Amino acid sequence: NAGVTQTPKFRVLKTGQSMTLLCAQDMNHEYMYWYRQDPGMGLRLIHYSVGEGTTAKGEVPDGYNVSRLKKQNFLLGLESAAPSQTSVYFCASRPLDRVSGRVGYEQYFGPGTRLTVT
Amino acid sequence: AQSVSQHNHHVILSEAASLELGCNYSYGGTVNLFWYVQYPGQHLQLLLKYFSGDPLVKGIKGFEAEFIKSKFSFNLRKPSVQWSDTAEYFCAVNSMNTGFQKLVFGTGTRLLVSP
């Protein structure tokens, strides 16, 4: 299994340009997440999805949109990039909670996308 | 809102020194607790996790953490660090008040181990 993969790995955008980051997972996980990581701020949740066709806002959703048309893919879009969106973006996935043993709460992370907006 | 505090932002140790990284969280109900590690240029990997049971949790690479409910803490420890432990360490919590759906991360502790 490849686990969680992200494309692209690096990208440079000019202010106002748009782009889509793709996250794919082959573990049949129901939950998927997009985070951004900035120095000294840890990881902050942008949007997440609890299943195919559903999305929800996280802590810092402004300027981003997401879609989960297929269970294995979670797309993060920037409609009009701004320098404040320069960051490293991580995708993660997690299986559905199970009744017994409370398994499934661990998130599995992708390798990240380094985005620079000039 | 739930929060996670990691008070040590940067830690510098010599090899073989003991390590303890602090983590405190704000939620008083049922929680799940995690420590993740991020080696330079890599993605986050799970070090250890606590769901229930024995509050002393052992993880990979000789790390352990102790859940102290009365102190809302989940400190990470290692008796003897190695140069290869140089990394950034994140504490994370999810809780019943969000249906355990979302992780809240601390701001991270950057550990540098000198040979």
Side-chain angles (χ1 to χ4, degrees):
Chain A
N1 288 350
V4 181
T5 58
Q6 293 181 231
T7 52
K9 290 185 169 54
F10 303 93
R11 185 72 185 269
V12 178
L13 288 179
K14 294 187 189 304
T15 297
Q17 287 184 320
S18 64
M19 77 162 295
T20 300
L21 281 66
L22 171 63
C23 175
Q25 52 95 3
D26 61 1
M27 297 175 283
N28 201 34
H29 287 174
E30 282 76 11
Y31 295 85
M32 296 187 75
Y33 304 83
W34 274 108
Y35 295 89
R36 59 177 289 171
Q37 183 182 28
D38 302 291
M41 303 188 77
L43 276 78
R44 293 181 292 169
L45 182 64
I46 304 171
H47 287 281
Y48 66 105
S49 168
V50 301
E52 182 178 325
T54 72
T55 62
K57 293 181 180 179
E59 183 185 357
V60 288
D62 294 342
Y64 305 95
N65 57 75
V66 288
S67 64
R68 182 105 181 265
L69 298 179
K70 293 182 179 180
K71 186 177 183 179
Q72 64 268 33
N73 295 338
F74 194 31
L75 279 66
L76 177 70
L78 286 72
E79 290 184 346
S80 179
S84 60
Q85 294 177 304
T86 293
S87 187
V88 181
Y89 292 85
F90 287 100
C91 177
S93 70
R94 201 195 87 187
L96 185 65
D97 314 47
R98 299 284 181 254
V99 174
S100 61
R102 295 173 63 192
V103 298
Y105 293 98
E106 172 188 343
Q107 292 185 18
Y108 297 80
F109 284 82
T113 295
R114 186 172 294 275
L115 175 66
T116 302
V117 183
T118 60
Chain B
Q2 186 175 341
S3 65
V4 178
S5 298
Q6 292 181 245
H7 305 294
N8 312 104
H9 298 297
H10 293 89
V11 173
I12 302 173
L13 294 173
S14 299
E15 273 193 316
S18 64
L19 170 71
E20 180 160 1
L21 301 182
C23 173
N24 289 90
Y25 61 93
S26 62
Y27 182 63
T30 302
V31 293
N32 298 316
L33 300 154
F34 306 82
W35 276 98
Y36 282 87
V37 61
Q38 185 178 30
Y39 298 104
Q42 295 190 25
H43 63 285
L44 274 75
Q45 303 170 42
L46 184 70
L47 264 183
L48 48 78
K49 59 190 176 187
Y50 173 80
F51 291 165
S52 63
D54 188 343
L56 185 61
V57 180
K58 294 194 185 299
I60 61 171
K61 304 188 180 186
F63 286 91
E64 65 179 30
E66 185 175 12
F67 170 51
I68 303 180
K69 189 173 182 179
S70 60
K71 294 186 178 181
F72 300 93
S73 70
F74 190 55
N75 291 355
L76 181 71
R77 299 195 291 249
K78 187 172 184 179
S80 176
V81 295
Q82 301 173 314
W83 176 79
S84 58
D85 293 324
T86 293
E88 191 159 15
Y89 293 80
F90 293 94
C91 181
V93 179
N94 66 15
S95 66
M96 188 178 286
N97 73 338
T98 61
F100 298 105
Q101 290 184 346
K102 297 185 283 185
L103 275 180
V104 176
F105 283 86
T107 53
T109 297
R110 198 174 290 271
L111 172 66
L112 175 63
V113 180
S114 57

